[in-house]
Every structure is written in structure tokens, then in C-alpha cells.
Amino acid sequence: MAQHMESANTRRITGNIFKGSIGNLIEWYDWYVYTAFAVYFSSEFFPKGDPTSQLLNTAAIFAVGFLMRPIGSLLLGRYADRHGRRAALTLSITVMAGGSLIIACTPGYGTIGLWAPVILVLARLLQGLSLGGEYGTSATYLSEMASSGRRGFYSSFQYVTLIAGQLVALGVQIILQQLLSEPDMKAWGWRIPFVIGALGALAVLWLRRTMDESEQFERMGKESRTSAGTIKALMKHPRAVLTVVGLTLGGTVAFYTYTTYLQKFMVNTVGLPKETVSWINFWALLLFVGLQPLAGTLSDRVGRRPLLLGFGILGTLLTVPLFLLLERSQTPVEAFLFMMAGLVIVTGYTSINAIVKAELFPTEVRALGVGFPYGVTVAVFGGTAEFIALWCKSIGYEPLFYYYVAACIALSLIVYWRMGESSKESRIEAERNLFK
């Protein structure tokens, strides 16, 4: 009987985590489609010019979208802490669907002039708002739903689906590259993935409405909910807030450098064909996905801090050499291996950063605490990484960017060195034991 109940509970946990994760996948697919197809639609939304200038414009809008993420994490984090994780996740996917549909339907610069980039900015602001709320709420939901002793494993699926969203975006890109000519891709083919994203979000909307709410939120009393999710309540945990900022800084710069900017770097600097670069990114990210649960499981055994220290030390020492080698790579295989080396290093951060942040905060401010300081840090550092890289290239000092990435990781390494082991001081575990 006990075994049957345990099996049923495992299935319930797995089912809820799947529903939460698949929504996360679609959210990140919609976000990454923009950067995956920027090489095709940049000329559609901006006046004619050299490719680097057009990509710089799209990168600037990519960064602008990030500015909405702290606002999204603030609004939806507060909503999640007061009204539930399920309600906030359902709202975020609805907003993301609207943003994708707007981009898919917006005419180009040649048709409506300056309104084209203006509407593109507004759509990205909507998507940034959605994604800002998605991260903190999703991390909180997965962490609270996971069983004791396996939180690292289960929470790693946030980045499994996050990366898988990018992977699906690349897969769609590869398929369209095989079916359509480059002129067709630039003229109208780039709109197809945004339509797919909007339709996928509507399907996820139904799934999320059938998720269970987390027990920890349901056990929170009415009095606690009235003060939950406020900045005043969050400021009672200043050390945790600053830890999230320091934890995120180097990780987000490294993550967006290796998963987002590298595609443009291989085309624009290394000189590899777009189609070849798409395949390199696809296979590297596929392996990257597989690394996440392995590293998450390892963190359940040895702790979170050793993985963060590994990322900090290796990222600080090897980022510049890896980029210099990639810059001089002669074959697609070499480029793939150098990219993969960077992604293995970044796994020390990506696989466990969600659970580490969630373990720092109590239930009444967990979604806000995970999402808001993270959103601010990502907006300032992660969202500008690609823009800074392209700007360094445009002024003829591209290697400056390599040192910038290494320096950001070094700053986070100081935080990793000084912080405690979050799995041993977990607020989630302490609250669960209190309810027993």
C-alpha cells in the first residue's frame, strides 16, 4: 500500500513538473526564435546598411526586451506569491503568445517605415515582461514540487527546457533552411517560427490550467498572503538578494555568450556558413541539454557549491583562450569542440542556479526573491552581452569582449567562494519539515 502511494505521488510530481516544464520550453522557444532568425529579418525591419549594423540594431532590441524582465519578475512574482504559482504561470504564457503573434504579423520597414521597428520593440517588451515572470515562478514551482533529496535533479529541468526551447528554435531554422531559399527566408519565411510559437503557447495555456498548486503555497495562511510578494517583505532578506545578484552576474553573461551570441560570432567573425553554424549550435545544445540533469543529480550528492566553484574557476581561466582558439578554428568540427568546451563549463551554473536561488527564500517571497534580483541582473548583464560583443567588433577591438566575459565570471567566483552550501541551509526543506 505504501509503495503504491509513493508510486502515485512520484507520478503526480512528474506530471506537474512536465506541465510546468513544457510551458517553460515554449516560453523560451518564443524568446530565442528572435535571435535565431535575426540574421534573416534584420534587413526586413531596418533601413539598408551593412550586416553588422543591422545585427547591432536587432541586438539592441534584444537588449531592450531584457529591460522588461525585472518588471515582469516584479509583477508576476508578486502575483505568484499572492495568488499561486499556477495562476502566474498561466498568465505569463498568455502574454508570450501575444508577443509572438504581433511579430509574426508586423509588416516590414519597406511597407510601414519606422512603425516596423517600433512595433517590434513593443512586442519584445511584452515578451520580456512574460519571460521575467516565467523564470522566478517556474523555478519556484519546480523546486517546491520536487521531492526531498532530488531537488537538484528536478529543478535542472528548468534549464533543460530553457535550452530545449532554443534547440527547437534552431531545429525549426534548420528545417526552413532546407525547404526555403535565402531570399524567401528573408522575405517571409522568418515569420513561420513566430506563428508556431504563438500556437504552441495556446496549447500550453490549457496544460497549465490543469496543474496542481504547490503544497507549500497552499499551506501559507491568508494573513501571510496579504503581505506576500512585496518589496518590503523581500528586503527582510538582503543577504539572499545580494547572493542572487552575485550568483547570476557571471552565469548569465557566460550563458548568453555561449548559447546566443556564438551563432553570430561563427558567421560574422569565424566566417562559417549560416547553415553550418545552425548544425553546430544544434548538436552542441543537444548535448548541453543532456548535461543538465546529470549535473543536477551530482549536486544532490556533493552539494551545489562545488559545481558553482568549478564554473567560476574554469570560466575565469579558460574563456579568453577558448574564444581565441574559436576565432582561429579552420573546420566546423573545431568550432563545435570549442563551443562544447564552453558549454560544459557553463553547466556548473545552469544546472543548479534555479534551485540554489529558491533555497534562499521563504515561501511568501520565493517567486519574487528568485525572479526580481535575477531579472535585474540579467537585464543589465545578460541582455547586453550580445550588444557589447557586436560593439567591440564594430570598433575593431573584439577581444575586449572575451576579457569582459572572464571578468564577469571572476566577480561571481568571489560570491561562490564566500557563500554557504544552500542544500544544507535550504528554506524549502526547513518549511517542509515544519509541516510534517
Side-chain angles (χ1 to χ4, degrees):
M1 182 67 176
Q3 187 176 3
H4 176 73
M5 289 180 64
E6 184 178 345
S7 178
N9 188 52
T10 300
R11 287 197 300 270
R12 184 183 66 84
I13 291 172
T14 303
N16 282 302
I17 286 177
F18 170 77
K19 291 173 184 177
S21 297
I22 198 70
N24 197 46
L25 187 154
I26 293 296
E27 286 253 6
W28 287 97
Y29 164 84
D30 284 337
W31 183 254
Y32 280 124
V33 154
Y34 179 94
T35 191
F37 284 84
V39 290
Y40 294 106
F41 70 72
S42 58
S43 59
E44 184 76 5
F45 279 92
F46 298 98
K48 291 184 179 180
D50 67 276
T52 299
S53 297
Q54 290 176 338
L55 285 174
L56 200 56
N57 286 326
T58 55
I61 293 179
F62 186 73
V64 166
F66 273 84
L67 296 179
M68 288 299 288
R69 288 178 64 173
I71 300 173
S73 61
L74 179 62
L75 296 176
L76 287 174
R78 178 186 176 92
Y79 188 75
D81 286 331
R82 288 196 169 195
H83 302 284
R85 322 312 190 195
R86 180 178 62 187
L89 288 171
T90 301
L91 179 58
S92 72
I93 196 71
T94 304
V95 175
M96 182 61 81
S100 291
L101 198 57
I102 289 171
I103 296 175
C105 298
T106 301
Y109 184 88
T111 304
I112 59 173
L114 286 175
W115 282 108
V118 168
I119 295 173
L120 183 63
V121 169
L122 292 175
R124 286 301 282 179
L125 292 179
L126 273 180
Q127 290 188 320
L129 187 75
S130 168
L131 205 64
E134 171 73 19
Y135 177 87
T137 310
S138 175
T140 296
Y141 184 76
L142 294 181
S143 301
E144 290 178 348
M145 291 300 297
S147 53
S148 300
R150 302 203 72 193
R151 296 194 198 285
F153 169 74
Y154 279 119
S155 65
S156 73
F157 280 88
Q158 182 175 42
Y159 264 79
V160 167
T161 51
L162 188 158
I163 301 158
Q166 186 173 3
L167 198 57
V168 173
L170 281 171
V172 170
Q173 184 184 53
I174 289 169
I175 291 171
L176 290 177
Q177 284 172 342
Q178 305 305 311
L179 298 176
L180 301 175
S181 65
E182 183 152 337
D184 284 341
M185 286 285 284
K186 289 183 175 181
W188 56 269
W190 62 267
R191 297 182 186 274
I192 295 173
F194 289 101
V195 173
I196 293 172
L199 294 175
L202 291 176
V204 166
L205 179 61
W206 177 81
L207 273 178
R208 284 193 163 175
R209 289 171 65 88
T210 64
M211 292 192 309
D212 293 331
E213 184 55 83
S214 79
E215 290 182 13
Q216 282 172 292
F217 176 80
E218 289 183 331
R219 284 171 173 167
M220 195 167 61
K222 289 185 178 180
E223 290 184 9
S224 297
R225 292 188 191 185
T226 57
S227 62
T230 63
I231 293 294
K232 183 179 179 181
L234 182 62
M235 287 302 102
K236 293 178 181 177
H237 310 278
R239 181 181 175 85
V241 170
L242 291 175
T243 298
V244 171
V245 172
L247 181 80
T248 303
L249 193 157
T252 189
V253 171
F255 176 75
Y256 282 103
T257 296
Y258 282 109
T259 63
T260 302
Y261 174 63
L262 222 58
Q263 185 178 18
K264 295 177 182 63
F265 180 82
M266 289 182 187
V267 172
N268 224 16
T269 298
V270 182
L272 293 173
K274 292 174 185 175
E275 292 78 7
T276 302
V277 170
S278 295
W279 279 109
I280 290 172
N281 275 256
F282 181 85
W283 289 113
L285 290 174
L286 185 62
L287 291 175
F288 190 37
V289 166
L291 289 174
Q292 304 310 301
L294 295 177
T297 301
L298 181 63
S299 80
D300 286 328
R301 294 178 180 273
V302 303
R304 327 293 188 207
R305 190 167 173 266
L307 273 71
L308 291 172
L309 285 172
F311 159 67
I313 294 169
L314 293 175
T316 300
L317 296 177
L318 298 182
T319 294
V320 174
L322 278 175
F323 263 93
L324 291 174
L325 288 168
L326 181 58
E327 191 179 281
R328 294 166 174 77
S329 57
Q330 300 295 315
T331 67
V333 173
E334 286 181 344
F336 167 80
L337 291 175
F338 293 137
M339 179 180 182
M340 200 64 235
L343 291 176
V344 169
I345 293 170
V346 176
T347 296
Y349 164 79
T350 56
S351 60
I352 58 168
N353 83 93
I355 183 60
V356 171
K357 293 164 189 171
E359 287 173 331
L360 296 174
F361 297 96
T363 301
E364 61 268 20
V365 291
R366 186 166 294 133
L368 181 64
V370 172
F372 184 57
Y374 166 85
V376 172
T377 311
V378 170
V380 175
F381 295 98
T384 57
E386 184 176 311
F387 183 82
I388 291 171
L390 288 167
W391 178 77
C392 288
K393 180 175 177 60
S394 70
I395 63 171
Y397 291 97
E398 192 168 22
L400 278 177
F401 177 68
Y402 315 159
Y403 288 96
Y404 169 76
V405 176
C408 288
I409 298 173
L411 288 174
S412 283
L413 175 59
I414 297 171
V415 177
Y416 306 151
W417 189 264
R418 294 175 62 86
M419 69 183 288
E421 176 51 61
S422 66
S423 62
K424 293 181 179 178
E425 304 166 0
S426 173
R427 293 277 194 139
I428 299 175
E429 203 64 45
E431 289 174 356
R432 180 164 290 186
N433 292 335
L434 188 65
F435 291 135
K436 285 182 179 179

